[in-house]
Amino acid sequence: MELLLDQETSEPVSPSSQFLNNSVLSLSIIAVLELEELFDDSQAIPLLNDLFLPINPRFSSITVTDKDGEKRWKRVEVRLKDHVHVPVFASGMSTQFYDECLDHYLSKTAMEEFPQSQPLWEVHIIKYPTSHAASNIVFKFHHSLGDGISLMGALLSCLKRADNPSLPLNFPSAKLHTSKDGGNCSMFRKVPRFLSSVYNTLSEICSTIVRSSLVEDDKTPIRSRHPGVEFLPFSITTTTFSLDHIKQIRARLGVTLNDVITGTIFLGTRMYMETASQGSGNARSTSLVLLNTRMHGGYRSVQEMVKPDAELPWGNHFAFLNIPIPKLRDAEARNNPLQFVFDARKVIKKRRSSFGVYLTAKYLQLVGRFLGPERASKYIHGTLENTSMGITNLMGPMEKLAVAGNPINGLYFVVTGAPQSLMAGVVSYVGNLRVALLVEKDFIDSQKLRSHIEKAFDMIFKAACGTSTHSTAQSKIC
């Protein structure tokens, strides 16, 4: 790969991207597309060249340091064959065998570092039938390229609708959080809300700073405290829930979809912990829930995202919410599983109402500017390391998609490289919500954890709607 002329040097690498790509912290996103038919790998390079590379210059760029010591994106000539990998497994084996092959391959791929001499993305084509796909396409992106919303927008720009490729995709959208009281809110309501926001902001900032260096969660069945856990092998398991069922719970309880799924994951995780080690269901455990800090939700086309002053700009625009995982004894989960949903809603709403996450982001930028990106990365690494799990979620496409005419039956994603034993990635797709659990191998039993989360959803659905889902959640081991 040869560097192009100096004039091809584009914009500086943002501080947040530098925080996620250095010797202290290096995060990646792995997205898996499950295809209905066997994918012809000879189509990969033309598709990438014609559809993927033109999306954003970062897919054709590496990071370099200019004469002033500033990190910048520099355009390079892309050798696509260096980015496309087609592994070979034993032929004629069972789908269970290939499930295990895929799981091992994903773990191996995630632990391998990107060559810094080429753009920070890869495509892996798995041409073997697994439990839910005739073949799989695996995208690996370094997080410095952009966050989940940016990269999901990039993938959606490369895909077509399966029912009619000539029709445009309907990008999911989200409404802004608005007050139910309207714009004529009295001063008697505004003052307490302002004071509450100030208190929540100070509380959030103090909690985040303390969490990054002074206070850590207990060692539990979901937190091994193994040094360098981010470099250890992991396993992935996924489960699928019906969006219709989640919407029924939402309507009955007056909460959000995010509250329902977060409460479900929390309850299932606590049940797993208590089963694995009696008493750990009441241990001190915290989850980091990813928050999109853009002023507008949903997606825009990539062309809109890369414009100056875009409403939904490309890049890394997120912050972490420290959410204590409710304890079993506090919620009396077996008698009132809905309390986990209400507790999740209460804490998330409280943290969202503060400016703590935004001020924390500004604090990190100041640390990076005056003390260097690695110092800011140590702060993020410490926060991740001292908590028990992470949860990140995305809205996926509403219609079934296809790549090169091959329908996509399902998709899921995980974030790798975090110093945690458990990470959850949540994405919606064609009427379902997929939860992918990335767990430390040989420490967390992924099948039992998945089973407990499915059971938790049934408990919450029954308590909210008065009936069972009849095990409609579909599960699979990747």
Side-chain angles (χ1 to χ4, degrees):
M1 176 178 296
E2 296 180 359
L3 295 182
L4 298 183
L5 299 177
D6 289 341
Q7 56 263 35
E8 291 298 323
T9 301
S10 58
E11 77 275 8
V13 179
S14 69
S16 57
S17 291
Q18 292 187 55
F19 301 160
L20 302 177
N21 185 20
N22 54 56
S23 60
V24 175
L25 184 67
S26 182
L27 300 182
S28 296
I29 299 174
I30 289 182
V32 181
L33 306 183
E34 299 172 326
L35 304 187
E36 187 175 300
E37 303 168 357
L38 182 65
F39 183 74
D40 181 2
D41 59 283
S42 67
Q43 297 178 304
I45 288 181
L47 287 171
L48 292 170
N49 187 66
D50 297 338
L51 298 178
F52 180 73
L53 289 185
I55 290 175
N56 193 307
R58 293 191 188 183
F59 296 142
S60 304
S61 302
I62 63 173
T63 58
V64 296
T65 304
D66 65 17
K67 61 182 181 180
D68 297 321
E70 185 177 14
K71 292 283 187 179
R72 304 186 71 89
W73 294 104
K74 186 176 183 66
R75 294 289 296 271
V76 296
E77 180 185 351
V78 181
R79 290 182 177 177
L80 287 172
K81 64 179 183 180
D82 293 337
H83 293 262
V84 179
H85 307 273
V86 185
V88 177
F89 304 143
S91 61
M93 307 300 286
S94 66
T95 55
Q96 182 179 2
F97 174 83
Y98 293 126
D99 286 341
E100 295 174 357
C101 288
L102 177 59
D103 186 60
H104 175 75
Y105 187 80
L106 290 177
S107 178
K108 173 177 173 292
T109 300
M111 290 189 294
E112 294 175 345
E113 295 184 4
F114 282 102
Q116 295 298 310
S117 59
Q118 65 186 42
L120 303 177
W121 60 269
E122 297 173 350
V123 176
H124 303 261
I125 302 170
I126 315 299
K127 300 176 62 175
Y128 299 90
T130 53
S131 295
H132 283 239
S135 58
N136 292 266
I137 298 180
V138 179
F139 288 86
K140 181 184 177 183
F141 301 101
H142 198 282
H143 218 311
S144 61
L145 293 174
D147 57 17
I149 288 181
S150 297
L151 298 175
M152 175 66 80
L155 285 180
L156 292 179
S157 298
C158 297
L159 305 174
K160 300 291 185 180
R161 287 177 56 158
D163 57 350
N164 189 338
S166 63
L167 293 178
L169 293 178
N170 289 317
F171 289 84
S173 61
K175 295 182 179 179
L176 294 175
H177 295 279
T178 55
S179 172
K180 295 181 180 180
D181 300 316
N184 298 321
C185 186
S186 70
M187 183 63 67
F188 293 103
R189 291 184 179 180
K190 288 182 178 179
V191 172
R193 286 181 180 178
F194 172 76
L195 294 177
S196 175
S197 179
V198 171
Y199 173 80
N200 291 337
T201 298
L202 294 175
S203 175
E204 176 68 17
I205 292 175
C206 293
S207 173
T208 302
I209 293 176
V210 169
R211 178 67 61 182
S212 68
S213 57
L214 300 177
V215 177
E216 65 175 306
D217 284 355
D218 296 330
K219 181 179 179 180
T220 65
I222 65 167
R223 183 170 185 263
S224 68
R225 294 179 63 184
H226 291 151
V229 64
E230 63 267 40
F231 305 113
L232 299 178
F234 65 78
S235 181
I236 299 176
T237 185
T238 76
T239 186
T240 304
F241 301 109
S242 165
L243 272 177
D244 286 339
H245 287 156
I246 297 175
K247 289 176 181 178
Q248 289 179 50
I249 299 172
R250 178 189 66 177
R252 293 293 183 94
L253 303 185
V255 297
T256 67
L257 295 178
N258 188 53
D259 297 333
V260 175
I261 197 62
T262 302
T264 297
I265 293 173
F266 282 173
L267 174 55
T269 300
R270 281 297 193 187
M271 291 165 58
Y272 167 81
M273 293 168 64
E274 186 65 23
T275 300
S277 176
Q278 188 174 3
S280 65
N282 298 311
R284 180 172 60 193
S285 301
T286 308
S287 173
L288 291 180
V289 177
L290 200 68
L291 173 68
N292 171 29
T293 58
R294 294 171 175 85
M295 294 302 295
H296 296 265
Y299 293 103
R300 299 290 187 274
S301 68
V302 175
Q303 289 76 13
E304 292 181 67
M305 296 177 74
V306 298
K307 289 180 179 178
D309 302 320
E311 288 185 346
L312 269 81
W314 182 282
N316 284 288
H317 301 274
F318 65 88
F320 291 110
L321 295 179
N322 286 287
I323 309 296
I325 303 177
K327 299 178 180 180
L328 282 178
R329 66 169 177 239
D330 293 342
E332 298 179 356
R334 292 171 180 80
N335 298 321
N336 187 17
L338 300 183
Q339 194 61 43
F340 267 76
V341 178
F342 292 132
D343 286 350
R345 174 177 175 76
K346 179 180 178 181
V347 178
I348 292 174
K349 186 177 181 180
K350 175 183 175 182
R351 300 291 165 84
R352 276 184 177 274
S353 69
S354 80
F355 296 98
V357 290
Y358 302 97
L359 293 179
T360 300
K362 292 296 183 183
Y363 169 75
L364 285 175
Q365 291 181 11
L366 290 174
V367 170
R369 178 180 299 176
F370 294 107
L371 300 178
E374 292 192 357
R375 182 63 66 87
S377 297
K378 287 182 180 179
Y379 177 92
I380 300 173
H381 188 279
T383 303
L384 290 164
E385 188 175 36
N386 289 340
T387 52
S388 297
M389 66 179 296
I391 300 177
T392 177
N393 60 75
L394 291 171
M395 293 180 297
M398 294 181 288
E399 302 97 1
K400 193 170 188 177
L401 303 178
V403 52
N406 195 332
I408 300 172
N409 285 340
L411 59 89
Y412 58 92
F413 79 98
V414 290
V415 176
T416 67
Q420 293 179 317
S421 299
L422 173 60
M423 291 284 289
V426 183
V427 64
S428 61
Y429 180 60
V430 195
N432 290 312
L433 197 74
R434 190 77 169 269
V435 179
L437 303 169
L438 181 146
V439 305
E440 182 182 344
K441 189 173 286 188
D442 300 325
F443 175 69
I444 295 178
D445 188 323
S446 59
Q447 296 186 51
K448 288 184 178 180
L449 176 60
R450 184 198 70 232
S451 178
H452 279 291
I453 291 176
E454 291 173 350
K455 182 179 179 181
F457 185 79
D458 282 337
M459 292 168 61
I460 290 172
F461 186 86
K462 186 174 182 179
C465 303
T467 184
S468 173
T469 61
H470 301 291
S471 302
T472 55
Q474 307 168 12
S475 59
K476 77 178 265 291
I477 298 292
C478 303

